Amino acid sequence: MAPPPASLSAPNALSLLAPATATARVSSGRWNRLSVSVSVAARPVTRVVSVALAPAAAAVTAQRRLVAAAAATEMAPAASGEEGSKPFVEEMRAVAMKLHTKDQAREGEKEPEAPPVAKWEPSVEGYLRFLVDSKLVFQTLEDIVERAAVPWYAEFRNTGLERSEALKKDLEWFRQQGHTIPEPSDPGTTYSSLLEELSEKDPQAFICHFYNVYFAHTAGGRMIGKKVSEKILNKKELEFYKWEGNLSHLLQNVRNKLNEVASSWSREEKDHCLEETEKSFAYSGGLLRHIFT
């Protein structure tokens, strides 16, 4: 069972429960389960949520900022769905955008607590750790939808957004330049284990991570890659930031699939998916922090 980030505190998780919470329903030593009543979409909903007992709220807030930068404003609104209904992907995007600052997105509601990407000072070693852990996470997502333990996961095979093969090529390029490729580290292995667990036990939560990982990378993730390349790679564009075909069309196809799958969910299941956003940001933020350390 994948432990949650030690930095995610109970007060921080619960304070943002209505717009978003995060990872899994884990019940290991540092996590307790409580039943809390919250108001979601103007309706009281009693949910069982997992909260961490670790005290360092500031660190997870910094991780959220990193992922908010990675999501940025290119997570475009979804195309309209059925008449009179709001596409579920649009709801997912709205929750994610609230975790941005006003500088990152006009819908942002958070105060800036991390330096802007332009002031980051990345290292090749740290960037390699980020790429290695990212490859593990993307490979895990691809393996999960390929196995399709939940039948509708198969809808998300071969979307064109897959990144593991591109990252494999990039890591080989670094190896040819004389760099030692590290093994996956704790942020990557922990997130990978969590995704496996969620995919079996909590499909709605898994889909929240699926959406945020892929869409954030195609948005602000590209901007981060460009800035890092300018600073340490002589402006080389890695395969990680290239897609075959029209990226906007690829994204819209996945939006359509997400909306179709979610159309059969209850309101409670949709709200549970949205509540996972905060933890999705926290775990992805753990990977991005490699770039600076």
Side-chain angles (χ1 to χ4, degrees):
M1 181 177 296
S7 55
L8 184 57
S9 70
N12 196 41
L14 291 177
S15 68
L16 291 169
L17 186 61
T21 347
T23 33
R25 303 181 175 190
V26 247
S27 54
S28 58
R30 296 185 309 181
W31 285 68
N32 284 347
R33 300 175 69 86
L34 17 142
S35 179
V36 296
S37 182
V38 297
S39 177
V40 181
R43 299 188 298 116
V45 178
T46 299
R47 295 207 54 78
V48 176
V49 297
S50 301
V51 294
L53 303 181
V60 77
T61 303
Q63 288 188 352
R64 281 204 313 271
R65 297 300 169 269
L66 296 178
V67 179
T73 56
E74 290 185 38
M75 292 177 77
S80 59
E82 297 179 3
E83 185 176 355
S85 67
K86 184 177 184 179
F88 184 61
V89 169
E90 192 171 323
E91 294 187 48
M92 298 175 78
R93 177 186 179 276
V95 171
M97 290 298 101
K98 288 180 180 180
L99 296 177
H100 294 64
T101 67
K102 286 292 185 184
D103 290 339
Q104 294 166 342
R106 64 179 178 274
E107 306 99 317
E109 297 182 357
K110 300 299 181 182
E111 293 297 323
E113 297 181 10
V117 177
K119 295 184 179 180
W120 293 0
E121 294 298 333
S123 67
V124 172
E125 292 76 14
Y127 194 45
L128 277 172
R129 289 194 295 271
F130 165 71
L131 295 176
V132 167
D133 278 4
S134 294
K135 180 178 180 295
L136 176 61
V137 168
F138 280 104
Q139 184 66 65
T140 301
L141 290 169
E142 292 167 27
D143 290 345
I144 288 170
V145 299
E146 185 62 33
R147 291 195 306 269
V150 176
W152 47 259
Y153 287 169
E155 295 293 327
F156 302 102
R157 294 172 181 164
N158 303 317
T159 63
L161 300 183
E162 293 80 12
R163 297 288 84 200
S164 66
E165 283 301 314
L167 282 161
K168 181 179 179 181
K169 293 177 183 178
D170 288 332
L171 292 171
E172 178 58 28
W173 179 82
F174 276 100
R175 182 180 287 107
Q176 291 174 2
Q177 307 308 305
H179 297 286
T180 299
I181 308 303
E183 293 296 317
S185 62
D186 185 65
T189 57
T190 299
Y191 198 11
S192 174
S193 296
L194 174 79
L195 292 170
E196 292 280 7
E197 181 177 354
L198 289 179
S199 71
E200 297 283 345
K201 299 180 179 179
D202 197 342
Q204 283 74 32
F206 169 74
I207 284 298
C208 179
H209 290 265
F210 180 94
Y211 166 78
N212 281 293
V213 168
Y214 278 110
F215 279 68
H217 178 63
T218 64
R222 288 188 292 168
M223 178 268 293
I224 291 174
K226 183 174 184 293
K227 294 296 183 182
V228 171
S229 178
E230 289 173 353
K231 292 195 172 189
I232 63 175
L233 298 179
N234 197 28
K235 298 185 177 181
K236 175 180 172 60
E237 183 180 16
L238 297 182
E239 298 299 315
F240 191 27
Y241 305 101
K242 300 176 184 178
W243 288 263
E244 293 185 10
N246 185 303
L247 180 57
S248 295
H249 292 168
L250 298 176
L251 291 170
Q252 189 56 49
N253 287 338
V254 175
R255 290 189 191 100
N256 292 341
K257 290 176 183 293
L258 288 167
N259 286 329
E260 182 179 356
V261 165
S263 67
S264 65
W265 294 353
S266 68
R267 184 66 253 177
E268 184 180 18
E269 288 173 325
K270 290 178 179 179
D271 291 337
H272 178 56
C273 177
L274 298 176
E275 289 165 5
E276 194 75 9
T277 308
E278 178 73 14
K279 286 182 185 176
S280 169
F281 272 47
Y283 276 87
S284 293
L287 272 60
L288 281 169
R289 290 183 68 84
H290 280 316
I291 300 175
F292 318 100
T293 59

